[in-house]
Amino acid sequence: MAFVVKSRLSYLNSTNLTLYHMLKEFKAFAMRGNVIDLAVGVIIGAAFGTIVNSFINDVITPLLLKPALDAAQLSKLEDLTVFGAVKYGKFIGATINFLIVAFVLFLIVKGMNAAKKKEEAVPSTPPAVPPDIQLLTEIRDLLKK
């Protein structure tokens, strides 16, 4: 009986150590800069998606698609359907959302690339010549004369 209890305790201790090490590795993984940057990007992306949806539903649809919706006797783009079941209005709204998001991301990436090129274009100052190399250069120049 004592052997069974000891073996179970050693199993629990080894399991706890394994779990502890796994949690420690997970913490190191989760706290890496890339993971946190990705999380921030996802959160900002979700917020940006809300802004784009509002832009489509509250600005684009009333301004640009109002005549088409009036002709179809509808109040919202999402109400456009075929046979009452195929909601192609939602598809059109999602397509407009995608195009706006893709265009804005294109502009952001283009701006970042332009800024990166400007950084690379700035010439760096040449490194200072060490004194021993300077001395050897002067000796060489004197020997040439």
Side-chain angles (χ1 to χ4, degrees), residues 3-144:
F3 175 73
V4 172
V5 170
K6 273 189 173 180
S7 66
R8 285 188 179 166
L9 285 176
S10 66
Y11 172 75
L12 288 176
N13 286 338
S14 67
T15 304
N16 286 342
L17 284 175
T18 305
L19 183 62
Y20 172 76
H21 289 296
M22 192 170 9
L23 288 174
K24 191 174 178 182
E25 284 181 48
F26 177 74
K27 180 183 175 189
F29 167 76
M31 290 304 177
R32 288 176 52 199
N34 295 342
V35 174
I36 293 173
D37 291 344
L38 180 62
V40 169
V42 167
I43 292 168
I44 289 175
F48 184 69
T50 305
I51 292 170
V52 169
N53 283 333
S54 174
F55 181 69
I56 296 300
N57 295 332
D58 302 330
V59 177
I60 296 289
T61 301
L63 289 178
L64 299 178
L65 301 177
K66 183 72 170 156
L69 290 175
D70 287 343
Q73 299 174 350
L74 299 171
S75 61
K76 294 190 296 185
L77 184 64
E78 288 80 20
D79 294 337
L80 287 173
T81 60
V82 175
F83 307 121
V86 179
K87 298 180 178 181
Y88 69 93
K90 282 189 173 186
F91 175 74
I92 293 171
T95 304
I96 294 171
N97 283 349
F98 171 76
L99 292 174
I100 290 173
V101 169
F103 183 69
V104 169
L105 288 176
F106 168 74
L107 293 177
I108 289 171
V109 170
K110 186 173 176 144
M112 289 176 63
N113 287 341
K116 199 178 283 187
K117 284 182 183 177
K118 285 182 182 177
E119 279 181 15
E120 292 173 0
V122 174
S124 61
T125 58
V129 179
D132 56 343
I133 302 294
Q134 180 69 28
L135 182 62
L136 289 172
T137 305
E138 290 175 7
I139 291 171
R140 182 196 66 202
D141 292 342
L142 287 173
L143 288 174
K144 281 185 180 178

